[in-house]
Amino acid sequence: MPELPEVETIRQDLSREITGCYIDKVISYTPGVLINEHDISISGQQITDIQRRGKYLLIKLSGGKSDRKDIFWMVVHLRMTGRLYIQNTDSLHGKHIHVCFSLSCPERKKSGKTLVFQDTRRFGRIWLLISDREGQPTGATEGLQQLGPEPLDQNFDGHQLADQLKKRPRTSIKGALLDQRVLAGLGNIYADEALFAAGINPARPAESLNAQEIDKLADSIRRILSYAVSCQGTTLRDYVDGWNRKGKFQNRLQVYGRAGSPCLICSSEIKKMKLAGRTTSWCPVCQPEITTPE
DNA sequence: ACCTACCTGTTT
DNA sequence: AAACAGGTAGGT
């Protein structure tokens, strides 16, 4: 479920609330979810920074109260139904809670905070690792190393997107946008929303888009992701932010999940088709199959 | 470029 | 009972 806007929302919430906190205790209830749990101990370490790369959350730790000078990381991927949120009490609610981190924040004179990882389908993972020589979290998973550019970075534009699309010339543009090596952070919801906003048919081969269309697509991607972050992400069912609250962007969706309903622009019936193994919603009028030359 | 697997829950 | 769900990894 969580795509870039959801992960970024969680990052912002956690960053504000638990940067500087110490990890007092780690409780893992489900084998296989917390990777390296028996090889790396992060108890006593301090959370010094929380970053995001694509749909990965990167939680940076320092040796904290111990003498270790190594930098450690917790790399989190929520996959479809993962939740990572702060609770101000110790009591746990709900099923499918797999890992809990007890936190204390001496500087803020707050205590009893718990960072909870909950995941119905159990696809999500948290990797514990020691940083490489540059202090970066390599070695977590191939997916993290191979990520394409960040669509919300300053230098992301049509040129960069065009360059990236050359990696997958024959795939549908929808398939290319879902490929995290092409662009980091888009998933099924925002790929559909961006293609609709740009008026591009999702089934068109990536190589068939002209420069003007790619510019428009890059702009649409940026605008929609930013807007979704400002709405704290999309909650269809499982997603919650860093405080276990629902997002609001589900009220702003233009095409995703609207097959059979009238297009909000032209009132044509929104269609759905399968692309790259994913249900894709699109408007046959606003997103024509053939490019109309200017 | 497809398929399946990984899981549980909800909808048809 | 079967299809489907925000994602990715691994196979063919």
Side-chain angles (χ1 to χ4, degrees):
Chain A
M1 158 247 148
E3 306 178 28
L4 187 152
E6 290 74 34
V7 180
E8 176 60 20
T9 299
I10 294 171
R11 189 199 69 74
Q12 290 176 11
D13 290 343
L14 298 189
S15 184
R16 247 178 267 123
E17 193 60 24
I18 63 171
T19 302
C21 290
Y22 290 87
I23 297 171
D24 293 339
K25 192 171 60 169
V26 180
I27 310 173
S28 167
Y29 301 96
T30 312
V33 170
L34 185 61
I35 310 293
N36 293 336
E37 61 174 317
H38 303 299
D39 305 318
I40 295 178
S41 169
I42 58 167
S43 295
Q45 296 202 30
Q46 185 179 29
I47 297 169
T48 56
D49 196 15
I50 305 184
Q51 307 172 11
R52 180 191 55 75
R53 186 76 176 86
K55 302 172 193 171
Y56 291 85
L57 206 55
L58 312 173
I59 302 177
K60 191 178 186 180
L61 308 171
S62 75
K65 294 164 184 166
S66 78
D67 295 334
R68 298 293 303 263
K69 293 290 186 206
D70 290 320
I71 293 169
F72 291 71
W73 292 86
M74 294 199 333
V75 176
V76 183
H77 199 301
L78 300 169
R79 295 281 166 85
M80 296 283 265
T81 56
R83 297 172 163 179
L84 189 68
Y85 57 87
I86 303 157
Q87 266 192 188
N88 280 324
T89 59
D90 298 4
S91 62
L92 298 178
H93 300 90
K95 301 166 74 171
H96 308 300
I97 291 175
H98 305 300
V99 189
C100 286
F101 303 89
S102 302
L103 306 178
S104 60
C105 312
E107 292 135 51
R108 304 194 202 187
K109 298 181 178 173
K110 285 187 184 175
S111 63
K113 243 181 289 197
T114 308
L115 183 64
V116 178
F117 179 73
Q118 184 177 25
D119 185 0
T120 302
R121 293 176 73 178
R122 220 187 304 145
F123 292 166
R125 292 292 180 268
I126 302 177
W127 293 266
L128 301 180
L129 50 123
I130 303 173
S131 64
D132 64 18
R133 291 178 186 197
E134 283 78 47
Q136 294 308 116
T138 48
T141 171
E142 282 294 296
L144 176 60
Q145 312 308 325
Q146 296 180 358
L147 289 178
E150 287 289 331
L152 293 185
D153 268 7
Q154 290 267 317
N155 49 7
F156 176 71
D157 59 9
H159 293 293
Q160 193 177 31
L161 181 57
D163 268 357
Q164 290 298 113
L165 290 177
K166 287 173 188 160
K167 291 182 179 173
R168 303 290 304 274
R170 319 248 133 156
T171 4
S172 62
I173 184 62
K174 168 78 183 272
L177 292 181
L178 289 176
D179 186 337
Q180 302 299 297
R181 296 167 299 190
V182 171
L183 192 63
L186 285 185
N188 208 26
I189 297 174
Y190 298 106
D192 278 8
E193 293 296 311
L195 286 165
F196 175 77
I200 295 169
N201 186 289
R204 286 178 52 195
E207 64 184 353
S208 75
L209 274 62
N210 65 35
Q212 189 188 337
E213 290 170 323
I214 296 176
D215 278 348
K216 192 169 183 189
L217 180 55
D219 283 352
S220 301
I221 290 169
R222 285 192 73 110
R223 202 180 61 253
I224 288 164
L225 292 178
S226 306
Y227 186 25
V229 170
S230 77
C231 295
Q232 293 85 41
T234 301
T235 299
L236 299 176
R237 167 164 285 137
D238 297 287
Y239 164 73
V240 293
D241 68 12
W243 285 109
N244 203 6
R245 302 172 301 198
K246 292 178 178 179
K248 300 177 193 70
F249 197 74
Q250 60 275 17
N251 305 318
R252 298 281 175 274
L253 297 174
Q254 304 290 297
V255 269
Y256 177 87
R258 298 196 64 252
S261 303
C263 173
L264 297 173
I265 303 296
C266 75
S267 300
S268 309
E269 186 184 331
I270 299 295
K271 303 290 182 196
K272 69 174 168 181
M273 65 176 152
K274 210 81 161 176
L275 281 177
R278 318 297 299 278
T279 298
T280 300
S281 308
W282 57 289
C283 171
V285 174
C286 297
Q287 299 167 273
E289 292 178 30
I290 300 161
T291 333
T292 47
E294 300 279 329

